[in-house]
Amino acid sequence: MSYVPLSGLSLRDIEYVVAVDDLRNFSRAAERCGVSQAGLSEQVRKLEQLLNVTLFERSRRHVAPTPEGERLIALGRDVLASARNLLEVARAHTGPLDGLLHIGVIPTLGPYYIPGLLPRLRQKYAQLGLRLNENTTPNLVQHLRQGDLDVAFMAPTTATESLEHAPLFLEPFLAVFPKDHELANKKHLSISDLARPDLLLLEDGHCLRDQALSLCPSNFRSQDQRLATSLEMLWHMIGAGEGFSLIPRLALNNRHEFDSLVTIRELSETEAQRTISLVWRPSDPRATSFRELANFLRVAIPDGCLSLPKSKIPN
């Protein structure tokens, strides 16, 4: 077997290949990596020559890994994760929350929580640089496991069970109805009243969809529900009279333009809420610092949200 020097193999080239695999598009991969498409394509081609393997099947409309490419790209992901772990171990000895922190956040939380959070982080961690990534829960979990993200703000689901969690606060759900909806002024409103065909949901991939369905009776079937692509679109669908939905408390702020269009009702059941947590990889050597960060964030609970009961706060 001929000797192949490692000097011809760079982490940057592996990052390029992984980006192409993630996005299945050379142009978007080049944009994500901050290089020209021609430069990225040339480096991928050189890596294929070095490995003597065709990593991708290419056509004008189609980019996909070959069977051998798929196996090698998976190994490349492991190499990148190990390299990032090396940097994280080094950073843990020089200031674990100095430098750049890659933060993920779910779309139903980010626009409503992050603006109030940023000034506090800047004041507490003056040397900390932030890189934000808004994405759905399954994608955030994947990016955390791959090492593309350091931490994420999300509502834990079964998909996050293999990750470390530090719960921060409880965010209630409220029911939002069109003004003339028959439930808008019902004297006693319970969760069971919401299992109706005009309950609006978010598309698959959004944890808020699963959280809303989990509150409905077990015999409720959701196949015919109207779906929204985002929480903002959900608001507009309610305002247009298409139906009603459950909205997280932070997303109710500054909605005065909907005052004449909707009615907001609280739900008495204590289970009508979600836990917002800080999440990270169990292998990350900065776990102690992330727990300290979580303790710092618990001090100032966002308006309208609830503090955790002592039994849910980790020691």
Side-chain angles (χ1 to χ4, degrees):
M1 186 176 185
S2 61
Y3 172 71
V4 179
L6 286 176
S7 59
L9 182 65
S10 75
L11 291 175
R12 174 59 68 182
D13 292 342
I14 297 175
E15 284 185 321
Y16 291 167
V17 167
V18 167
V20 173
D21 185 46
D22 285 343
L23 301 172
R24 303 298 168 94
N25 182 284
F26 277 80
S27 177
R28 291 200 299 272
E31 183 179 351
R32 185 169 94 174
C33 295
V35 297
S36 68
Q37 181 177 342
L40 180 140
S41 298
E42 177 64 14
Q43 289 305 116
V44 171
R45 185 185 65 78
K46 287 181 178 179
L47 183 59
E48 288 179 319
Q49 289 179 340
L50 176 68
L51 299 175
N52 195 28
V53 168
T54 300
L55 296 172
F56 295 103
E57 179 185 343
R58 304 160 169 89
S59 69
R60 286 193 167 207
R61 299 183 178 180
H62 178 74
V63 175
T66 62
E68 184 68 4
E70 192 168 349
R71 185 177 70 85
L72 291 175
I73 292 168
L75 292 174
R77 291 184 187 277
D78 292 340
V79 170
L80 292 179
S82 295
R84 290 190 181 99
N85 192 52
L86 183 149
L87 293 176
E88 289 164 359
V89 170
R91 276 196 311 208
H93 293 284
T94 59
L97 289 185
D98 291 346
L100 188 63
L101 190 70
H102 292 79
I103 299 176
V105 61
I106 53 176
T108 57
L109 178 69
Y112 321 108
Y113 177 57
I114 296 298
L117 173 68
L118 291 179
R120 298 181 60 235
L121 285 179
R122 290 292 189 198
Q123 185 176 16
K124 174 70 173 179
Y125 301 99
Q127 303 303 314
L128 181 64
L130 302 175
R131 184 72 57 83
L132 300 176
N133 182 323
E134 183 182 87
N135 220 317
T136 58
T137 297
N139 289 330
L140 291 181
V141 169
Q142 179 183 0
H143 291 320
L144 280 168
R145 287 173 176 161
Q146 292 172 183
D148 298 325
L149 292 175
D150 299 311
V151 295
F153 294 103
M154 61 175 67
T157 67
T158 54
T160 66
E161 289 177 351
S162 63
L163 300 171
E164 290 290 326
H165 303 80
L168 303 178
F169 58 87
L170 302 174
E171 184 180 20
F173 292 117
L174 289 92
V176 181
F177 301 96
K179 275 288 186 184
D180 58 353
H181 196 279
E182 62 182 290
L183 294 180
N185 297 306
K186 185 179 178 184
K187 187 173 183 180
H188 299 291
L189 184 67
S190 68
I191 290 175
S192 60
D193 294 321
L194 307 183
R196 296 165 46 107
D198 54 344
L199 172 63
L200 303 174
L201 298 170
L202 289 179
E203 291 181 340
D204 283 334
H206 291 277
C207 61
L208 181 59
R209 167 193 172 88
D210 298 328
Q211 291 154 4
L213 288 174
S214 70
L215 295 174
C216 292
S218 58
N219 61 350
F220 177 65
R221 305 178 70 85
S222 63
Q223 288 89 334
D224 299 325
Q225 307 307 119
R226 291 270 289 136
L227 303 179
T229 56
S230 68
L231 191 51
E232 294 304 303
M233 180 54 68
L234 198 60
W235 270 103
H236 293 296
M237 291 169 69
I238 297 170
E242 295 187 41
F244 69 96
S245 193
L246 288 171
I247 302 292
R249 175 60 183 81
L250 291 178
L252 298 178
N253 295 334
N254 301 316
R255 296 289 179 176
H256 303 301
E257 70 273 23
F258 287 92
D259 286 349
S260 63
L261 300 174
V262 305
T263 297
I264 300 172
R265 294 285 305 277
E266 293 185 359
L267 297 167
S268 58
E269 290 93 340
T270 57
E271 64 266 28
Q273 60 189 17
R274 63 179 180 176
T275 301
I276 300 301
S277 296
L278 186 69
V279 180
W280 63 89
R281 292 182 303 284
S283 61
D284 197 308
R286 295 166 293 174
T288 299
S289 296
F290 293 154
R291 293 189 184 97
E292 292 174 357
L293 173 61
N295 289 334
F296 168 70
L297 296 177
R298 289 190 195 105
V299 173
I301 303 301
D303 290 342
C305 294
L306 307 172
S307 299
L308 295 163
K310 290 184 178 181
S311 59
K312 286 192 175 184
I313 298 178
N315 296 325

